[in-house]
Amino acid sequence: MNTAKNVPELFGSMVFNETVMRERLPKDVYKKLKQTMREGTAIDAEVAPVVATAMKDWALSKGATHYTHWFQPLTGITAEKHDSFISPTDDGGVVMEFSGKELIRGEPDASSFPSGGLRATFEARGYTAWDPTSYAFVKDGTLYIPTAFCSYTGEILDKKTPLLRSMDALSTQACRVLKLFGKDVKRVTTTVGPEQEYFLIDKADYAKRKDLIFTGRTLFGAMPPKGQEMEDHYFGSIRPRVAAFMQELDEELWKLGIFAKTKHNEVAPCQHEMRRCSPRPTSPPTTTSSPWRSCGVWRKGTASSACSTKSRSRASTGRASTITGRSRPTRARICSSLARRRAATCSFCSS
């Protein structure tokens, strides 16, 4: 296992973050963009083309050929439409271009996304709008631009817009309270530290379970133990194969500027956990599926499969628990048909 990684150099290497902005943007443009990110003000029309050009040049240097407005519709997963940077020239060739308009707004067809009956199909135009508070990043040859998603008439069609609005509302009310204590602040920023629990199952064992393949959860099998029979697995020593997965996961997340901090074994066989350390709620990527799409061992042809279970968020105002992938009764059941006891756990965990 290679442990000679330069983590500070690796961290955020695929992210268009403030360090890259300072290097590639004119000073006045950088200041205006920072003001938008810090105070939530509208983006200046003169700033967008300059930022788009700098973002495109940086993405090309990272091997990107396409860009996408990356959003979170009401499907429970993310959505993306990839467009290339190429534009035709008069002599039959192409040039690589990316305009401010393409950065700020996109127009994906919204007819096939859940909308709660807000619109008829022929009125289903949707818009994506760039969220400057979330850094763009490059993954698999594509520049990912985090965006909000709404209808032509302004109805919310995603999960990001309510988050941004709740952050703004919380900031407004917190500033009012702070003024009562003599603190004159313009904006209060929230932080969140989610935990992601998941199961690692050997690919050969996974292939035998049609319920996992077709539904992503267990539909049959032995019930999980109800006592403390598995306490020796909780916080136990990490198996070499699992440790290799966790290391690759950390490295891929660090490249995307994700603060992967903690990893350990959970209670059930093959159950593990990773935790991020208190980033902004809109730090990229923010969806539950992102870690697994980021990690190389999740790709086709590898020897393992990952099933996410839940994401737990801790904020300064309290603690929230959200079921994101598998319902709580099935958490320990995924491996239960493979193992009733610690000694008989699946081959991925025992290797």
Side-chain angles (χ1 to χ4, degrees):
M1 188 180 299
N2 183 15
T3 58
K5 300 287 184 179
N6 187 335
V7 176
E9 183 177 322
L10 184 70
F11 187 82
S13 58
M14 304 302 286
V15 180
F16 192 75
N17 53 26
E18 293 185 27
T19 302
V20 179
M21 293 178 193
R22 265 196 308 268
E23 293 175 354
R24 292 180 174 267
L25 294 177
K27 190 172 294 185
D28 60 329
V29 172
Y30 173 73
K31 288 182 178 179
K32 290 180 180 179
L33 181 59
K34 277 290 295 177
Q35 182 180 7
T36 296
M37 296 170 62
R38 184 174 56 251
E39 301 178 7
T41 56
I43 190 74
D44 193 322
E46 298 178 355
V47 169
V50 181
V51 176
T53 299
M55 194 180 288
K56 180 259 299 180
D57 292 341
W58 171 82
L60 293 177
S61 71
K62 295 294 182 179
T65 57
H66 291 66
Y67 70 92
T68 180
H69 277 202
W70 187 58
F71 57 101
Q72 291 82 34
L74 304 177
T75 57
I77 57 176
T78 59
E80 55 202 56
K81 175 173 69 80
H82 298 244
D83 292 297
S84 69
F85 289 117
I86 65 171
S87 294
T89 59
D90 294 337
D91 59 359
V94 296
V95 293
M96 306 298 271
E97 292 182 340
F98 185 50
S99 67
K101 180 181 177 181
E102 291 171 322
L103 169 63
I104 290 177
R105 191 181 74 176
E107 297 187 25
D109 178 18
S111 62
S112 298
F113 288 115
S115 61
L118 292 173
R119 307 163 337 282
T121 301
F122 65 89
E123 298 171 329
R125 180 189 297 178
Y127 291 97
T128 51
W130 175 38
D131 173 21
T133 63
S134 294
Y135 298 139
F137 58 95
V138 169
K139 190 177 79 69
D140 298 333
T142 297
L143 172 65
Y144 281 75
I145 303 167
T147 57
F149 185 46
C150 63
S151 71
Y152 177 75
T153 51
E155 289 92 356
I156 298 172
L157 300 178
D158 69 343
K159 295 184 177 181
K160 187 181 185 72
T161 305
L163 173 64
L164 294 173
R165 290 184 177 180
S166 63
M167 290 168 59
D168 190 57
L170 181 61
S171 175
T172 300
Q173 300 306 319
C175 289
R176 290 179 60 193
V177 173
L178 288 172
K179 284 183 180 179
L180 297 177
F181 294 95
K183 302 287 186 180
D184 186 17
V185 296
K186 294 182 178 180
R187 188 172 182 82
V188 173
T189 303
T190 56
T191 58
V192 62
E195 298 175 356
Q196 177 66 66
E197 294 183 4
Y198 60 94
F199 288 88
L200 289 178
I201 301 175
D202 189 272
K203 192 171 183 181
D205 294 326
Y206 175 84
K208 299 175 184 177
R209 296 296 300 267
K210 299 301 182 183
D211 52 346
L212 289 179
I213 295 173
F214 293 125
T215 70
R217 64 180 66 222
T218 54
L219 302 178
F220 56 85
M223 292 297 292
K226 296 297 185 181
Q228 297 294 324
E229 292 90 341
M230 302 296 176
E231 72 270 8
D232 58 336
H233 190 258
Y234 188 57
F235 278 26
S237 59
I238 301 174
R239 304 284 182 175
R241 217 173 152 200
V242 175
F245 171 90
M246 290 179 169
Q247 179 177 339
E248 186 172 358
L249 176 61
D250 279 343
E251 291 173 1
E252 294 300 318
L253 294 178
W254 289 337
K255 288 178 185 178
L256 298 176
I258 299 176
F259 295 84
K261 179 71 173 178
T262 304
K263 55 187 179 183
H264 63 83
N265 288 345
E266 265 292 342
V267 179
C270 304
Q271 186 185 16
H272 311 280
E273 180 180 301
M274 62 84 62
R275 183 180 69 85
R276 297 166 61 189
C277 64
S278 299
R280 299 190 316 275
T282 55
S283 296
T286 57
T287 62
T288 304
S289 62
S290 299
W292 321 124
R293 298 184 58 215
S294 300
C295 189
V297 296
W298 175 243
R299 295 177 186 139
K300 183 179 180 181
T302 57
S304 65
S305 294
C307 298
S308 64
T309 55
K310 66 174 181 173
S311 179
R312 208 181 269 149
S313 299
R314 290 191 179 95
S316 58
T317 55
R319 178 170 175 170
S321 180
T322 306
I323 304 298
T324 58
R326 312 290 168 247
S327 60
R328 188 175 293 273
T330 64
R331 282 173 49 196
R333 203 179 301 168
I334 292 182
C335 275
S336 60
S337 66
L338 305 176
R340 287 295 304 271
R341 305 288 298 190
R342 177 77 175 88
T345 189
C346 75
S347 57
F348 190 90
C349 288
S350 60
S351 58

